Amino acid sequence: MTKSELLSLLRDAESVLWDAVCRNVSGAEKTHQRIARALRAEDAATPDGTCASCGNALTQPSTGRPRTYCGGACKKRAQRARARGTGQ
Ligand SMILES: [Zn+2]
């Protein structure tokens, strides 16, 4: 099974679990939260899990906002590149 097949399965499971959450099925809410969080992280992350600026491997935090850059320097560099790109 490829990663994208797995992700599409998880998306199906997420909507089924959401129905279960709405019907107050025991344990559904916790599992739904975990799947929804994993899917959000996957949507936001770079496709190969590397820093969008320097290409170093990224470790994603288990909670909170998923990382796109490995650190502040790479984030700043990308911001400057964007600013140049839009002519500002
Ligand atoms: Zn970087």
Side-chain angles (χ1 to χ4, degrees), residues 32-48:
H32 175 265
Q33 274 176 1
R34 289 172 64 193
I35 291 182
R37 191 183 295 149
L39 284 173
R40 270 201 307 277
E42 200 54 49
D43 284 341
T46 51
D48 51 0

Side-chain angles (χ1 to χ4, degrees), residues 13-67:
E14 194 255 327
S15 57
V16 171
L17 270 168
W18 180 245
D19 284 346
V21 171
C22 293
R23 285 183 280 112
N24 283 317
V25 174
S26 140
E29 190 172 359
K30 205 165 192 168
T31 309
H32 175 265
Q33 274 176 1
R34 289 172 64 193
I35 291 182
R37 191 183 295 149
L39 284 173
R40 270 201 307 277
E42 200 54 49
D43 284 341
T46 51
D48 51 0
T50 56
C51 172
S53 185
C54 70
N56 282 339
L58 283 180
T59 48
Q60 295 296 343
S62 55
T63 58
R65 209 182 151 90
R67 291 189 183 124

